[in-house]
Amino acid sequence: MVDKKLGGAGLRGQSAGETALCTVGKTGSGLTYRGYDIKDLAANAQFEEVAYLLLYGKLPTQAELDAYKVRLKGMRKLPDALKVVLEQIPADAHPMDVMRTGCSMLGNLETEATDFSDQLDHIDRMLATFPGIVNYWYNFSHNGIRVETETDADSIAEQFLWTLHNKKPEPLHVDVMHASLVLYAEHEFNASTFAGRVCASTLSDIHSVVTGAIGTLRGPLHGGANEAAMDMIQNWKTADEAEEAMLGMLARKEKIMGFGHAVYRESDPRNAIIKEWSKKLSEQVGDTHLYAVSERCEAVMWREKKLFCNADFFHASAYNFMGIPTKLFTPIFVCSRVSGWTAHAMEQRANNRIIRPSADYTGPESLDFVAIEDRA
Ligand SMILES: CC(=O)SCCNC(=O)CCNC(=O)[C@H](O)C(C)(C)COP(=O)(O)OP(=O)(O)OC[C@H]1O[C@@H](n2cnc3c(N)ncnc32)[C@H](O)[C@@H]1OP(=O)(O)O
Ligand SMILES: O=C([O-])CC(=O)C(=O)O
């Protein structure tokens, strides 16, 4: 078991508020959304059911789910002014920067009411438009295509793949995307959600909450780890080559992306689920090495450091097998986590006090003021 350093830097192990949305690592490795185990949700629920659970407080009935999906489907059109902005962003921009700009621009065009009475309309609109935003930019900047975002896709999972590849995706890939979006939807006071809650606590608007959260998720120590893991494993053609390279990285004390966690001590329960999907996809595409390389990385990290794969590691190979470009990996996380971020914003707003902790001062004391002409 990994010995976690609690306290000290990074507010590790300290409670920074209350939530009814999620528990992380309560038994060392468990994860629940509003009391439901992630294993049950990932195996049985579509992403829209989970988004509904987080945002509307309960699992939907069939009629409620059908109506919710119709509502989201009707909200997919991108405003022309947003498309104009997306078309200005160069092909070599990072798609997370595109998401951040896209979200912010949407907030300029469709600003939330200051009394938050329309918060759920804006939240559902973000859920509905985010896959189209990133893929409209991607297809325009890379392929010169203005992709249609008002597709016939039945779900957000299908909508992401459809707007990326500009065609109806195959059912297995849609199933994997549902599971992936369910796994990424919510995770208590992780860095991006906490950033969003701090923003919400100032009574700022929902697009500012999400824009700040996107910027926070972007880093390789957080959501960016799925891309970083892919960049790493794609260098290796055999499991033995991967093992040798990893041992070198560990000897040089390099961080290995997709491993370790700030809260879990034994395992990340999302890993086994996405790993299973990655295996299935690997068989489907006739992969000869990427899954084997990934499995060896997992074994080496456990053997050498007792570090386990977090949610991001096997997402890398799974997304790769579905033909998703590596730099679009973290934006998929955004398309999902926007449900958790905004559920937290609503929870914060419902019982708000501005989040403003204290700091331990470590600078100099009682200095004499020096006139500008006398300063060295
Ligand atoms: C969806 C998500 O956001 S999941 C997280 C995605 N991020 C990554 O995969 C990035 C790689 N992982 C990491 O950087 C870290 O494990 C974090 C940021 C996730 C957690 O950080 P912390 O809580 O500070 O890590 P923790 O306290 O468990 O670290 C214990 C020791 O293991 C080391 N360690 C932790 N993760 C790794 C890793 N991936 N590779 C190598 N060493 C590691 C730490 O450096 C630390 O060593 P030290 O005591 O010599 O300094
Ligand atoms: O909880 C964390 O620190 C990071 C994480 O796994 C997530 O946000 O999904």
Side-chain angles (χ1 to χ4, degrees):
M1 184 193 293
V2 179
D3 196 15
K4 289 222 60 86
K5 273 187 235 158
L6 297 179
L11 298 175
R12 196 72 74 260
Q14 296 175 38
S15 173
E18 295 182 341
T19 184
L21 290 164
C22 182
T23 64
V24 171
K26 241 185 158 179
T27 52
S29 60
L31 170 60
T32 64
Y33 299 168
R34 289 200 189 275
Y36 295 100
D37 195 292
I38 192 65
K39 292 193 198 86
D40 294 331
L41 293 171
N44 301 302
Q46 297 183 12
F47 173 61
E48 282 78 358
E49 287 175 74
V50 166
Y52 191 99
L53 170 70
L54 294 170
L55 295 166
Y56 293 86
K58 70 176 198 57
L59 283 173
T61 61
Q62 187 63 56
E64 285 165 340
L65 177 63
D66 293 346
Y68 189 46
K69 286 171 73 174
V70 168
R71 170 177 160 83
L72 292 171
K73 194 172 175 182
M75 292 176 142
R76 286 179 184 159
K77 186 177 165 59
L78 303 187
D80 288 341
L82 174 54
K83 288 186 186 170
V84 169
V85 167
L86 294 172
E87 290 182 14
Q88 308 308 307
I89 304 178
D92 64 355
H94 195 286
M96 284 297 278
D97 299 346
V98 177
M99 298 252 51
R100 198 187 56 215
T101 298
C103 175
S104 185
M105 185 64 188
L106 196 64
N108 281 292
L109 299 171
E110 303 173 8
T111 311
E112 187 183 24
T114 48
D115 64 359
F116 310 141
S117 53
D118 55 358
Q119 61 183 350
L120 277 163
D121 293 337
H122 292 283
I123 290 167
D124 286 341
R125 178 90 165 120
M126 285 190 270
L127 275 164
T129 52
F130 277 8
I133 286 177
V134 69
N135 288 328
Y136 183 88
W137 165 80
Y138 184 81
N139 274 297
F140 183 80
S141 61
H142 289 67
N143 305 323
I145 297 169
R146 290 189 166 93
V147 83
E148 180 54 73
T149 64
E150 289 178 280
T151 70
D152 274 342
D154 170 68
S155 62
I156 291 168
E158 189 172 25
Q159 170 77 351
F160 185 88
L161 295 169
W162 193 317
T163 52
L164 172 60
H165 294 127
N166 208 11
K167 62 174 197 239
K168 187 174 172 60
E170 55 182 286
L172 171 64
H173 292 186
V174 177
D175 288 347
V176 178
M177 282 301 288
H178 269 297
S180 169
L181 296 173
V182 167
L183 294 178
Y184 272 147
E186 163 54 15
H187 220 242
E188 198 221 31
F189 277 21
N190 62 85
S192 54
T193 301
F194 193 62
R197 271 191 95 125
V198 171
C199 183
S201 83
T202 71
L203 301 184
S204 188
D205 68 291
I206 199 74
H207 296 91
S208 295
V209 167
V210 174
T211 303
I214 292 171
T216 312
L217 186 71
R218 185 191 194 292
L221 295 190
H222 194 8
N226 53 15
E227 286 178 45
M230 189 66 224
D231 289 340
M232 179 180 73
I233 58 177
Q234 74 184 5
N235 293 318
W236 302 325
K237 296 284 167 280
T238 66
D240 287 347
E241 191 186 337
E243 174 155 357
E244 200 187 321
M246 284 193 96
L247 291 174
M249 290 172 78
L250 289 175
R252 293 189 297 277
K253 300 218 172 308
E254 288 173 28
K255 272 249 161 104
I256 304 196
M257 298 306 168
F259 287 89
H261 199 272
V263 179
Y264 295 123
R265 289 158 182 250
E266 294 157 6
S267 66
D268 181 333
R270 300 167 294 184
N271 177 51
I273 300 167
I274 194 64
K275 183 180 173 186
E276 194 58 40
W277 282 113
S278 173
K279 185 163 194 272
K280 209 170 267 184
L281 289 165
S282 142
E283 286 157 6
Q284 188 212 29
V285 300
D287 154 61
T288 52
H289 66 284
L290 198 58
Y291 184 79
V293 160
S294 305
E295 265 201 319
R296 183 69 70 84
C297 293
E298 183 178 34
V300 170
M301 282 296 272
W302 186 253
R303 188 187 73 212
E304 298 294 321
K305 300 281 285 182
K306 291 288 169 281
L307 283 169
F308 50 83
C309 296
N310 57 47
D312 280 334
F313 190 71
F314 275 92
H315 261 106
S317 50
Y319 287 165
N320 183 273
F321 293 141
M322 293 193 289
I324 299 174
T326 303
K327 62 183 188 172
L328 294 182
F329 288 4
T330 317
I332 302 176
F333 199 153
V334 172
C335 294
S336 164
R337 186 58 61 86
V338 63
S339 60
W341 290 331
T342 52
H344 275 275
M346 290 199 298
E347 191 179 56
Q348 182 68 36
R349 287 170 170 183
N351 185 18
N352 190 55
R353 188 176 191 197
I354 191 167
I355 297 174
R356 200 300 186 194
S358 307
D360 297 323
Y361 179 66
T362 60
E365 308 269 2
S366 308
L367 299 182
D368 290 329
F369 182 78
V370 183
I372 195 160
E373 59 275 17
D374 298 335
R375 289 177 210 159

